[in-house]
Amino acid sequence: MVETSKPAETSQEVKPRSVRVVLMALMIAMLLAMLDNMIIGTAMPTIVGELGGLEHLSWVVTAYTLATAASTPIWGKIGDMYGRKGSFLTSIVIFLIGSALSGMAQDMGQLIGFRAIQGLGAGGLMVGVMAIIGDLIPPRERGKYQGMMAGVMALAMIGGPLVGGTITDHMGWRWSFYINLPLGAVALAMVTAVLHLPQHAERQRPKIDYLGAALLTVAITSTVLVTTWGGNEYAWGSAQILGLVAVGVLSTAAFLYVETRAAEPVMPLHIFRSRNFTLMSVIGFLVGFAMFGGVLYLPLFQQSVQGASATNSGLLLLPMLLSMMLVSLIAGRVTTNSGKYKIFPIVGGALMVVGMFLLATMDTGTTRLVSGVYMAVLGAGLGFLMQITMLVAQNSVDMKDMGVASSSATLFRTLGGSFGVALMGSLFTSRVTDTMSERLGPEAAGAAGSAQLDAASLAKLPEVVREAYQHAVAAGTHSAFLLGAGVAVLGFLAAWFVKEVPLRGAGPAPAAAPADGKSAPAAQESLAH
């Protein structure tokens, strides 16, 4: 037990002088990963206008998302095996290469391929940030920095569409990609110069789990494609979707089998023996489900039903994001000062349920002030959950598994977002179509409801059609958020089973701590760090 405490002691030595500079570099890298899709979304109409290939438009986003999701757990394992600094710098370089190539793309096929390269690097950015923070800062102290991470997320969601629109209008869409280069260069220089991670015990020459990595990639890819294509490109009951589901199930089963026998599994299954880690993975999935669904449908409701401008779509989320940032900051400070955290997932889960249910009550008469209050409630719930889930997940594993713990938690949140957008989107579309048919008849509904209409387009429609469409969107968002509230209930229930294991850095561990799940030795070891 004496030896296992060395990593924590080392991390304490690293902290005082350079940790704030390192955190600044990490936040820039985190901003790169989160800002990209927000900026590109605004530039897409201009990109299609110049490059053509409208039928392949969805792949510009899908290629990036697939590459990010599939590479996330692999980057985590590479960091554990070969060192986090090297893998993190490599992911930044790959992301910047993909950004530069995307900016130089001459047709839609090239852009899709280069976006996949960019996504491959992005998979390592978020994981690298979380794992390095896990190495540098003990969990007890990590709460201080939650507000900073929540602030970066708010900045990306609010500033992304605004920056994307400004860059596209004044500098051209290619600069939507080139803007990453100076930011990435600053992050590279700062990380290279000041990041000195603690040295862990020497490990044997690693044996790379190629088969496990391949099977996991197939499983993630098929899952993301099901959630991306289902109900959009193909019907849910089509041969393509059912085939992808079968591939996903079989590859997942094969992956689990391989991981039990691999010398260096890409995702060690023993980390799931910790009750807290498993629960945080589940809660993270549900948070992703709720957050990405909210981010997608709230601006749509306010543009279509409340007549807000699409140009400032990021600002429409301000009540939710400010609430999330403020609550995350408070929860982090309380966690640092007290070492207590179990109450936050419970309160966060309850607020997420209430927020989703309130959003489900919105209709054509709901004012922007009222919807803003509802968004603030949801944001408060997310603020209690966003960073706490990662903190507890990292605290539940040994230091040598910090990378795979960070990547697994990130992956589950990403997959939750994919499922949320897909299922809420399918329900939304179905409800909009049905409501339009009831009010206008099938033919008129098909003509008016075939696309998502912004405020300017709605103003040109006949009054009867406009009112029908607004009622249909309100009905669709009601169904989508009601589903989100139901899913959030599962997260609230899961939070009650979290065991409050003392955070590393909080002092000597009590003897009862190993009761966290069935992994008593792992709990004892992590508490000793």
Side-chain angles (χ1 to χ4, degrees):
M1 296 299 291
V2 175
E3 285 194 34
T4 57
S5 67
K6 288 182 181 177
E9 293 172 0
T10 310
S11 63
Q12 294 285 2
E13 293 169 6
V14 173
K15 185 179 175 184
R17 188 174 61 86
S18 62
V19 70
R20 293 190 181 278
V21 181
V22 173
L23 281 174
M24 190 181 301
L26 295 179
M27 292 304 104
I28 293 173
M30 186 175 173
L31 185 64
L32 283 174
M34 300 191 66
L35 198 60
D36 189 77
N37 267 339
M38 297 289 178
I39 291 179
I40 301 308
T42 317
M44 284 312 298
T46 307
I47 294 174
V48 172
E50 182 173 326
L51 298 183
L54 178 62
E55 66 277 12
H56 303 304
L57 175 64
S58 63
W59 273 104
V60 175
V61 176
T62 301
Y64 181 90
T65 304
L66 269 179
T68 301
S71 64
T72 292
I74 298 172
W75 280 114
K77 186 62 179 179
I78 289 173
D80 284 342
M81 293 171 66
Y82 297 106
R84 269 180 262 290
K85 181 175 180 178
S87 65
F88 184 55
L89 291 174
T90 302
S91 69
I92 295 176
V93 170
I94 293 174
F95 180 83
L96 295 181
I97 290 173
S99 298
L101 291 174
S102 296
M104 294 186 286
Q106 298 301 309
D107 57 50
M108 192 61 78
Q110 288 184 9
L111 180 59
I112 290 169
F114 296 149
R115 283 282 283 167
I117 295 174
Q118 196 182 19
L120 188 65
L125 291 180
M126 288 295 290
V127 175
V129 168
M130 297 302 176
I132 289 172
I133 288 175
D135 258 356
L136 284 178
I137 306 169
R140 177 68 179 263
E141 301 296 315
R142 213 171 297 156
K144 295 177 182 177
Y145 306 98
Q146 285 183 198
M148 186 186 299
M149 289 183 274
V152 169
M153 181 177 297
L155 179 63
M157 290 183 176
I158 295 172
L162 297 175
V163 172
T166 302
I167 290 175
T168 303
D169 290 341
H170 296 91
M171 302 172 67
W173 67 265
R174 296 183 186 276
W175 278 96
S176 298
F177 297 103
Y178 293 151
I179 193 66
N180 292 329
L181 302 181
L183 286 173
V186 170
L188 268 177
M190 293 174 69
V191 171
T192 302
V194 301
L195 178 59
H196 305 288
L197 293 173
Q199 296 296 315
H200 301 297
E202 289 294 324
R203 304 178 72 177
Q204 294 180 346
R205 186 178 183 82
K207 296 179 181 178
I208 301 175
D209 180 18
Y210 291 109
L211 181 57
L215 288 169
L216 182 59
T217 300
V218 172
I220 293 172
T221 300
S222 56
T223 301
V224 173
L225 286 178
V226 166
T227 58
T228 303
W229 285 349
N232 296 312
E233 298 287 328
Y234 306 101
W236 285 104
S238 66
Q240 291 88 343
I241 297 300
L242 293 178
L244 284 170
V245 170
V247 170
V249 171
L250 292 174
S251 55
T252 300
F255 168 74
L256 295 175
Y257 176 82
V258 168
E259 294 305 274
T260 61
R261 285 157 175 75
E264 281 285 356
V266 68
M267 186 183 288
L269 300 184
H270 66 78
I271 61 177
F272 292 97
R273 293 175 189 162
S274 165
R275 180 205 302 178
N276 275 5
F277 183 84
T278 303
L279 287 171
M280 287 303 149
S281 297
V282 171
I283 294 172
F285 179 93
L286 300 174
V287 167
F289 193 108
M291 185 179 72
F292 285 101
V295 168
L296 179 65
Y297 291 105
L298 282 170
L300 177 61
F301 176 86
Q302 292 195 319
Q303 290 171 37
S304 299
V305 179
Q306 296 180 329
S309 168
T311 306
N312 298 321
S313 57
L315 295 175
L316 302 176
L317 298 173
L318 198 57
M320 183 177 81
L321 297 172
L322 286 179
S323 173
M324 183 176 71
M325 182 170 62
L326 179 63
V327 169
S328 181
L329 181 62
I330 294 171
R333 287 290 179 180
V334 172
T335 301
T336 297
N337 293 335
S338 68
K340 306 292 185 183
Y341 56 81
K342 180 175 179 176
I343 187 64
F344 297 134
I346 294 174
V347 174
L351 287 173
M352 195 163 72
V353 173
V354 173
M356 278 290 186
F357 180 77
L358 289 174
L359 290 172
T361 66
M362 295 190 303
D363 55 28
T364 54
T366 303
T367 65
R368 292 192 198 179
L369 175 62
V370 171
S371 61
V373 172
Y374 294 169
M375 282 191 281
V377 174
L378 177 61
L382 294 173
F384 279 120
L385 290 166
M386 284 295 295
Q387 303 304 328
I388 288 292
T389 52
M390 179 64 73
L391 186 151
V392 177
Q394 291 180 334
N395 190 63
S396 302
V397 302
D398 300 333
M399 293 294 289
K400 66 183 180 64
D401 291 323
M402 186 67 68
V404 292
S406 302
S407 63
S408 298
T410 303
L411 175 63
F412 280 108
R413 188 177 297 176
T414 301
L415 292 178
S418 295
F419 275 91
V421 170
L423 297 181
M424 293 171 80
S426 179
L427 198 59
F428 173 85
T429 302
S430 174
R431 189 68 188 275
V432 167
T433 303
D434 290 345
T435 305
M436 291 287 285
S437 297
E438 291 172 6
R439 288 178 170 268
L440 300 177
E443 292 184 8
S450 58
Q452 294 177 357
L453 305 177
D454 57 19
S457 302
L458 278 170
K460 300 175 184 177
L461 294 176
E463 185 176 353
V464 175
V465 177
R466 182 172 65 250
E467 288 182 357
Y469 185 78
Q470 289 174 333
H471 278 91
V473 170
T477 52
H478 167 78
S479 298
F481 286 123
L482 205 58
L483 173 63
V487 169
V489 169
L490 299 178
F492 172 69
L493 295 176
W496 284 95
F497 294 93
V498 173
K499 186 172 181 62
E500 195 155 54
V501 178
L503 298 173
R504 288 195 287 264
D516 177 29
K518 298 179 181 180
S519 181
Q524 289 173 338
E525 185 176 4
S526 64
L527 287 171
H529 282 169

